[in-house]
Amino acid sequence: MRLNDEEQAMLAGEMGEPKRWAIDHQIKVGRMFDAEDLVPVSQSHMMADPESVGDAGVSFLEKLADQGARVAIPMITDPRGVDLNYYRPLGQTEEMADLDRRTIEACSKMGILMTNTCTNYQTIMSPVLGDHVAFGDTGVVIYSNSVCGARSNYEGGPSALAAGLTGRTPRYGLHLDEMRRATRRFVVRQQPKGLTDWGVLGALVGKLAGSYWEVPVIEGLEVVPTSDDLKHMGAAMASFGSIPLFHLVGITPESPTLAAVGGEKLKAEEITAADLNALRSGFGGRGDKVDVVVFAAPQLSLVEMQQVADLCAGQTLKTPMLVCTSPQVYADAVRMKLVETIEASGGKVLEGTCFYNQYAREIGVANGWKRLLSNSTKIVNILGGYGYQPALASMEDCVASAIAGEIV
């Protein structure tokens, strides 16, 4: 790989051991993907929840911090594994909490902003068209690439950290123009009507495309989605298909027309109501008992918090209900009494966490939760692997089911 003078100095250790480690790591990653050089990035976003990194990962962060590591660009974090204000009632242990406290201390020492969100594109600093970034969470990456027009690969935790320390990332994959052209063309024949419908559409496209290197272009949409619609769609597409970029003709910034992304040369594949219903029917049914209702993955926006609060107002929930949001939205939701309304009904709002990466298996065992209901297509895809029997429903039906104690 070609390195400039500053990068050569980093590699020689002239700028400290943390930067030497970081650029050495990036060169190894870059060589694996045939990157010719490094590209400057404006932001980095790291997954570093304690369930993912474990004691060894936290010790590594502490070692870098003790060596004087300091990030070179704004660097932010994905949701934590523990809400330190509410973990004992969930059955999380002091060991889990201590691991999280050590991570926070080490990251803060390096200048990393503990934003603890997977919706930074809605809350912190949305990237813009052509902006090169180094983001980690799959939902963050697909939204930033597709909706914002920014450029990022899926960065693993160490790679995102390295990018934060050097201000660069290897130039391969979606940092290159040619890798952003459409490779699969889908035509929608049924219009989505809510967050879960958008999630199911994203899940089906992801399942059909099924590869990190495929770029779906979707046409036939007669409605313009909201930011929350696209958040659910992208998160599901990434979860079901490892997809990091999609185009919506006439909607997303790089595809004003089908031809703009090379889609007119591709075979059109129809997505019908039957296709969407077939995917939806695999996740639970009416009358099934529910142990816990979860709103998470991605974290809720302020608009979603208001919608949940409106549905809960004056109601009493029979089934435990967890609502996960970012610290940024949480503060506003407290000020607007949305948290108070949700919790008065018996629900619980968690700050800075997301259900699936907060020891979902352990808290399921601790609370006897197995049958889980959510409006997030992403989370019902993931949680089968954590021992749950997940079911999918709209936000309205999720709250109604929590009130009834069974799927309505």
Side-chain angles (χ1 to χ4, degrees):
M1 290 176 64
R2 293 192 305 274
L3 302 180
N4 63 27
D5 290 345
E6 185 179 3
E7 292 157 357
Q8 292 284 5
M10 288 186 202
L11 187 61
E14 296 171 13
M15 301 174 76
E17 172 58 21
K19 285 188 191 293
R20 189 211 63 75
W21 165 80
I23 201 157
D24 180 63
H25 174 85
Q26 292 183 308
I27 290 169
K28 288 170 180 169
V29 172
R31 284 175 177 161
M32 187 170 72
F33 289 104
D34 297 327
E36 294 184 359
D37 62 0
L38 300 161
V39 58
V41 291
S42 66
Q43 301 181 58
S44 179
H45 174 268
M46 176 175 67
M47 292 186 70
D49 60 271
E51 185 179 4
S52 298
V53 299
D55 184 70
V58 177
S59 296
F60 178 69
L61 292 171
E62 291 173 328
K63 179 182 173 185
L64 285 177
D66 290 343
Q67 290 173 333
R70 188 77 185 173
V71 293
I73 55 173
M75 182 165 180
I76 57 179
T77 55
D78 216 31
R80 312 294 326 137
V82 177
D83 179 341
L84 291 171
N85 296 315
Y86 192 85
Y87 62 95
R88 294 187 188 94
L90 291 177
Q92 293 176 314
T93 65
E94 285 300 325
E95 183 182 4
M96 296 171 184
D98 283 343
L99 212 53
D100 212 41
R101 293 188 186 99
R102 287 172 53 197
T103 305
I104 293 168
E105 184 176 352
C107 288
S108 299
K109 200 171 174 181
M110 288 189 273
I112 297 170
L113 298 167
M114 302 307 294
T115 54
N116 308 340
T117 181
C118 62
T119 59
N120 53 300
Y121 47 82
Q122 290 183 316
T123 55
I124 308 296
M125 184 163 69
S126 177
V128 299
L129 181 64
D131 196 3
H132 290 272
V133 294
F135 286 170
D137 180 285
T138 55
V140 170
V141 171
I142 192 169
Y143 190 102
S144 299
N145 274 320
S146 311
V147 182
C148 303
R151 298 182 169 218
S152 181
N153 293 306
Y154 288 145
E155 300 275 6
S159 292
L161 177 59
L165 293 171
T166 66
R168 298 154 167 79
T169 197
R171 194 194 304 267
Y172 71 94
L174 295 176
H175 292 286
L176 303 173
D177 290 344
E178 60 269 27
M179 299 302 288
R180 303 180 68 85
R181 306 283 288 175
T183 62
R184 295 284 292 268
R185 176 182 174 186
F186 297 99
V187 182
V188 174
R189 294 302 183 197
Q190 185 183 55
Q191 302 302 309
K193 294 179 182 175
L195 299 177
T196 305
D197 277 2
W198 283 99
V200 170
L201 174 60
L204 184 58
V205 170
K207 196 171 181 180
L208 292 170
S211 166
Y212 179 83
W213 301 109
E214 297 284 5
V215 179
V217 59
I218 301 169
E219 56 182 330
L221 290 169
E222 298 170 0
V223 292
V224 177
T226 66
S227 172
D228 284 335
D229 292 334
L230 291 171
K231 179 175 69 173
H232 278 262
M233 179 183 186
M237 199 183 300
S239 179
F240 277 78
S242 300
I243 304 296
L245 167 66
F246 64 84
H247 301 296
L248 304 183
V249 176
I251 297 173
T252 52
E254 293 176 70
S255 56
T257 64
L258 188 62
V261 291
E264 82 282 12
K265 302 170 186 171
L266 301 171
K267 177 187 172 187
E269 302 174 57
E270 291 198 354
I271 291 181
T272 66
D275 298 327
L276 296 166
N277 289 335
L279 189 141
R280 190 182 280 109
S281 67
F283 294 104
R286 187 167 297 179
D288 289 350
K289 294 294 181 186
V290 180
D291 296 325
V292 61
V293 174
V294 171
F295 290 109
Q299 292 173 329
L300 274 67
S301 69
L302 190 61
V303 172
E304 291 174 288
M305 291 292 290
Q306 183 185 39
Q307 292 166 346
V308 173
D310 286 349
L311 293 166
C312 289
Q315 303 289 341
T316 300
L317 308 182
K318 286 184 181 174
T319 301
M321 186 179 84
L322 299 177
V323 181
C324 297
T325 193
S326 67
Q328 302 79 40
V329 167
Y330 184 85
D332 275 346
V334 168
R335 179 169 57 86
M336 297 176 191
K337 300 189 184 305
L338 304 177
V339 171
E340 181 179 312
T341 301
I342 293 169
E343 297 193 340
S345 72
K348 177 62 190 173
V349 180
L350 301 177
E351 175 187 0
T353 64
C354 199
F355 186 84
Y356 78 92
N357 65 352
Q358 62 177 95
Y359 303 95
R361 183 185 302 279
E362 287 81 355
I363 64 176
V365 171
N367 292 281
W369 294 337
K370 198 170 186 68
R371 292 158 298 196
L372 178 145
L373 183 66
S374 179
N375 73 332
S376 165
T377 317
K378 173 179 178 177
I379 210 166
V380 298
N381 183 44
I382 294 171
L383 286 176
Y386 285 75
Y388 289 86
Q389 296 171 358
L392 181 67
S394 68
M395 178 188 286
E396 293 79 4
D397 286 347
C398 282
V399 175
S401 299
I403 295 168
E406 63 180 30
I407 298 178
V408 298

